[in-house]
Amino acid sequence: MSGLPGASTCPGPGEASDLKSPLGAKFREPLTEARFQQLFGDAEQEPELLAEPRWSRLRRLWKRRARACSGPGPWPLLRARLPPLRWLPHYRWRAWLLGDAVAGVTVGIVHVPQGMAFALLTSVPPVFGLYTSFFPVLIYTLLGTGRHLSTGTFAVLSLMTGSAVERLVPEPLEGNLSGIEREQLDAQRVGAAAAMAFGSGALMLGMFALQLGVLATFLSEPVVKALTSGAALHVLVSQLPSLLGLPLPRQIGCFALFKTLAAVLTALPRSSPAELTVSALSLALLVPVKELNVRFRDRLPTPIPGEIVMVLLASVLCFTSSLDTRYNIQIVGLLPGGFPRPLLPNLAELPRILADSLPMALVTFAVSASLASIYADKYSYTIDSNQELFAHGVSNLISSLFSCFPNSATLATTSLLVDAGGNTQVAGLFSCMVVLSVLLWLGPFFYYLPKAVLACINISSMRQMFFQMRELPQLWRISRVDFAVWMVTWVAVVTLSVDLGLAVGVVFSMVTVVCRTQRVQCLALGLAEGTELYRPLRESHKLLQVPGLCILSYPTPLYFGTRGQFRRILEWHLGLGEGGKEAPKTDGPPDAVAEPVRVVVLDCSGVTFADAAGAREVVQLASRCRDAGIHLLLAQCNASVLGTLTQAGLLDRVTPEQLFVSVQDAAAYALERLELTGPKTCTVWV
């Protein structure tokens, strides 16, 4: 039933209280919301909430918002948009420069083969992966707040971009394209990929203008991890034709993974033994090297650059053995030197690619913000989620002018940068120097690099994403709901596609939140003996209970989805069913005597917000309680909920004296003013 806040009322006249608690002490004057505003509110700028006219309150809020909107000066704004201006003056050159240099060079060495590999995953020539490993890294170094974040090509985004590019610019059915036709097809695909980078960057800048950095919270950790794990499986399957030397068209759309597997199994007898041998040797080197880097990360001064070693060995082997001419192994070919001419993407393509750019923008921001937050917490600094939106938006927008495809923070290179001793974004400058040297001078050395090696690099880079599945048993023990979100998202990504799987995962995650608000329990509270704490009556404490007084805690938002549950629960506790006033229900001991409820205290501390439907439900409850002769007292309503209830007409049903700052004050008011005191009203039970 309810809690008793004053045991001084429990013993009969002349009896001494044997309760070892503040229950025997006299209560202070109960504090209502109106009285609280009079005592502690600002009389000039904070008039009494319940007595303030509506237009006066709106005018006051408008003035406060206008004062908040007065922007900062140019220098604080420049410091906010260029984070190096804040941390570079405090840069510890002797302690950090060597670590940043080593980490930057190490990450840059990995960026070279990985950028070319992910370019093939995006269905564009390999050199555009090098451009995407240079321009976004340089821009994020100037604008980003994640000191340990490494940006560039990301497998998940490359896969999503490649699927969209294949759909927008399909390869002709007749195949056997001439050199000129192949160049034209590649140019069209590069333009489509750059347009998607432009679109996703523009969307992120729009989100930044609207200060929507909070949207990252809608992509929960199970959704992001399931998305990357499912996308890793897509990457693995999509690279099988390159590993086996099978010239198969890329499958797109729903069930593409299974279509690709079926096509590979059908064409398996036509696989190239030479390319299969190169792939097997490459994986035999890359996988153990990555395992050594993980197992001995604390002992190695820098991780072993297995990718660049494999690239050099394969290039030398292909050149000396003429594998490209003797066994028809596909090679990278000539990498153009220098930079591409800045070119604005075809804006006419934007309406077609907008549906693809939106999930890319969300994935970019979600992965980057979550990675930045992880390392910011680890190394005790803070990131600005809205500034991250600005940094990645500008990065994608400007880099698209140089024919780059969508980019974001990357899991593998971020972990590599931290393990190699990186401390700040200065490491990104050294990484750019390595990629720049390849673009200007070292490009011809990669002419004979087999594309099968790049496919192996793609697969080996997915190792960390595959191993995320090892967290599932622990996730099952912690939260079955999060486990369900993980599995539903993963199955949707694998069976449908990455973008549709993301949508399914986000929707299902939101549905679980709504369902959990529908399954909360409204708890009847009692006062624990010897304390001033209210506890649910079902707990194994000695609790005090007063017949006729009911204290209920409703710990969930009150909106259109929970209004029906709220009404049924209150009817059940107060006996206000359709058949008339019934005996009230009790959570007390079996032998407790059920008496009609005379006073109900509703603890609203768990009601974080209320909409119009929920507010009207409270107003109707107040009317029904008044008609039934029950005093309704509301306690601990936050300002937002109280304002909504007031606008819904609550004060037409109750008086301001029925609104209280705390449950203790409401219960004290009930005992002292509504004559619930007297002998034999207390029952102590376990």
Side-chain angles (χ1 to χ4, degrees):
M1 291 287 292
S2 94
L4 168 67
S8 60
T9 63
C10 296
E15 297 180 7
S17 174
D18 57 349
L19 298 176
K20 302 175 181 178
S21 69
L23 301 175
K26 180 177 177 56
F27 269 87
R28 57 172 167 77
E29 183 71 17
L31 193 60
T32 64
E33 291 281 353
R35 180 62 175 162
F36 180 84
Q37 291 294 334
Q38 291 178 352
L39 294 177
F40 305 108
D42 190 335
E44 297 180 357
Q45 297 186 10
E46 298 289 344
E48 184 176 330
L49 175 65
L50 302 175
E52 183 182 11
R54 179 181 180 182
W55 292 110
S56 175
R57 182 164 64 254
L58 290 177
R59 185 168 59 253
R60 176 171 52 84
L61 293 176
W62 175 261
K63 291 181 179 179
R64 181 183 301 174
R65 180 63 59 88
R67 288 195 302 268
C69 290
S70 58
W75 177 243
L77 184 62
L78 188 63
R79 282 169 53 89
R81 296 296 162 254
L82 291 175
L85 295 179
R86 299 197 304 265
W87 57 261
L88 196 57
H90 307 286
Y91 188 81
R92 298 163 57 185
W93 294 94
R94 293 185 178 180
W96 290 350
L97 184 59
L98 179 60
D100 283 339
V102 173
V105 171
T106 304
V107 171
I109 291 174
V110 173
H111 267 315
V112 173
Q114 207 169 76
M116 292 190 290
F118 289 163
L120 295 182
L121 197 60
T122 315
S123 300
V124 297
V127 69
F128 294 94
L130 296 180
Y131 300 152
T132 311
S133 299
F134 176 79
F135 290 103
V137 177
L138 182 61
I139 296 171
Y140 184 82
T141 300
L142 301 176
L143 301 178
T145 58
R147 299 181 185 177
H148 298 82
L149 212 60
S150 174
T151 59
T153 57
F154 183 40
V156 176
L157 281 179
S158 298
L159 180 68
M160 297 172 68
T161 306
S163 299
V165 166
E166 293 279 351
R167 187 185 70 254
L168 296 172
V169 189
E171 189 168 346
L173 297 177
E174 60 271 12
N176 297 324
L177 301 178
S178 64
I180 297 178
E181 292 175 336
R182 173 60 63 181
E183 290 180 1
Q184 293 176 348
L185 180 67
D186 288 341
Q188 293 177 1
R189 290 184 167 180
V190 168
M196 277 182 278
F198 186 92
S200 61
L203 286 173
M204 282 187 280
L205 286 180
M207 293 164 62
F208 162 74
L210 298 174
Q211 298 291 288
L212 296 181
V214 70
L215 287 180
T217 59
F218 290 98
L219 292 173
S220 62
E221 182 179 346
V223 171
V224 174
K225 290 190 174 182
L227 173 73
T228 53
S229 296
L233 190 58
H234 275 281
V235 172
L236 172 62
V237 174
S238 67
Q239 297 304 294
L240 289 180
S242 298
L243 293 179
L244 302 173
L246 296 173
L248 297 177
R250 185 168 182 171
Q251 302 292 334
I252 59 176
C254 296
F255 310 107
L257 185 144
F258 305 103
K259 294 177 183 178
T260 304
L261 283 176
V264 168
L265 292 176
T266 303
L268 195 58
R270 304 197 306 270
S271 60
S272 170
E275 298 225 30
L276 183 59
T277 302
V278 171
S279 301
L281 292 175
S282 300
L283 289 176
L285 174 65
L286 289 173
V287 174
V289 167
K290 285 188 173 294
E291 188 66 25
L292 288 174
N293 286 334
V294 172
R295 289 181 177 270
F296 300 101
R297 66 174 62 186
D298 297 331
R299 302 182 184 179
L300 294 173
T302 59
I304 303 173
E307 289 89 349
I308 198 66
V309 171
M310 187 67 250
V311 165
L312 295 176
L313 290 178
S315 299
V316 171
L317 179 62
C318 184
F319 172 73
T320 56
S321 304
S322 301
L323 297 180
D324 56 325
T325 57
R326 296 173 59 184
Y327 299 102
N328 198 27
I329 288 182
Q330 296 183 4
I331 60 175
V332 169
L334 180 64
L335 295 178
F339 296 104
R341 181 171 57 90
L343 181 65
L344 185 68
N346 186 6
L347 299 182
E349 295 288 335
L350 288 181
R352 298 176 60 196
I353 56 91
L354 190 60
D356 298 298
S357 298
L358 180 58
M360 291 179 191
L362 292 177
V363 170
T364 298
F365 178 54
V367 173
S368 302
S370 59
L371 269 179
S373 298
I374 289 172
Y375 288 102
D377 294 340
K378 183 177 180 180
Y379 292 98
S380 302
Y381 62 91
T382 58
I383 65 165
D384 184 347
S385 58
N386 286 305
Q387 178 65 19
E388 288 295 297
L389 269 176
F390 179 75
H392 290 287
V394 173
S395 175
N396 278 271
L397 196 67
I398 294 181
S399 62
S400 69
L401 305 180
F402 296 92
S403 303
C404 297
F405 49 86
N407 58 86
S408 73
T410 63
L411 303 176
T413 54
T414 297
S415 176
L416 181 64
L417 185 144
V418 174
D419 293 340
N423 299 288
T424 65
Q425 292 98 314
V426 172
L429 298 178
F430 289 96
S431 174
C432 289
M433 291 179 187
V434 175
V435 179
L436 181 63
S437 64
V438 174
L439 287 172
L440 296 180
W441 304 294
L442 303 180
F445 290 98
F446 298 96
Y447 182 92
Y448 289 98
L449 175 63
K451 290 185 177 180
V453 175
L454 297 180
C456 294
I457 293 174
N458 274 332
I459 293 175
S460 63
S461 64
M462 298 294 102
R463 174 185 179 279
Q464 187 176 2
M465 298 184 190
F466 281 126
F467 283 173
Q468 290 179 141
M469 301 186 72
R470 296 188 299 185
E471 302 176 6
L472 285 178
Q474 182 183 12
L475 191 62
W476 172 266
R477 292 191 297 268
I478 296 174
S479 173
R480 306 291 173 86
V481 175
D482 286 345
F483 180 87
V485 170
W486 202 104
M487 292 303 302
V488 168
T489 305
W490 187 86
V491 171
V493 169
V494 170
T495 57
L496 300 177
S497 61
V498 176
D499 49 354
L500 289 179
L502 173 63
V504 171
V506 171
V507 171
F508 184 76
S509 178
M510 294 298 100
V511 168
T512 60
V513 174
V514 174
C515 290
R516 277 186 274 190
T517 64
Q518 301 271 332
R519 299 181 59 186
V520 298
Q521 294 182 348
C522 184
L523 301 176
L525 305 181
L527 188 64
E529 181 185 6
T531 72
E532 295 181 355
L533 302 177
Y534 284 84
R535 293 289 188 225
L537 293 179
R538 294 176 180 176
E539 293 186 1
S540 57
H541 301 285
K542 287 186 177 181
L543 300 175
L544 298 174
Q545 174 183 8
V546 177
L549 175 62
C550 181
I551 302 181
L552 299 175
S553 175
Y554 190 72
T556 191
L558 188 55
Y559 64 105
F560 66 92
T562 58
R563 59 174 297 187
Q565 177 199 43
F566 175 79
R567 180 175 59 252
R568 290 190 298 271
I569 289 176
L570 268 295
E571 287 177 351
W572 189 88
H573 278 281
L574 304 180
L576 297 177
E578 295 181 357
K581 189 172 180 180
E582 305 171 356
K585 307 301 184 293
T586 177
D587 291 330
D591 58 345
V593 178
E595 294 186 9
V597 176
R598 296 175 54 193
V599 181
V600 56
V601 177
L602 185 59
D603 178 12
C604 299
S605 59
V607 182
T608 55
F609 71 89
D611 66 356
R616 284 195 293 266
E617 196 65 47
V618 176
V619 174
Q620 293 175 10
L621 172 67
S623 297
R624 297 180 66 185
C625 287
R626 185 179 60 183
D627 296 339
I630 299 175
H631 294 275
L632 174 64
L633 309 179
L634 300 181
Q636 292 185 253
C637 291
N638 63 49
S640 173
V641 173
L642 189 57
T644 304
L645 296 178
T646 303
Q647 296 299 326
L650 179 66
L651 295 185
D652 297 334
R653 307 296 192 278
V654 301
T655 63
E657 287 73 20
Q658 292 175 255
L659 306 177
F660 292 86
V661 173
S662 67
V663 175
Q664 288 86 349
D665 288 303
Y669 175 87
L671 289 170
E672 295 182 6
R673 305 289 178 84
L674 301 180
E675 300 179 354
L676 291 180
T677 61
K680 301 181 180 179
T681 58
C682 283
T683 304
V684 180
W685 60 282
V686 179

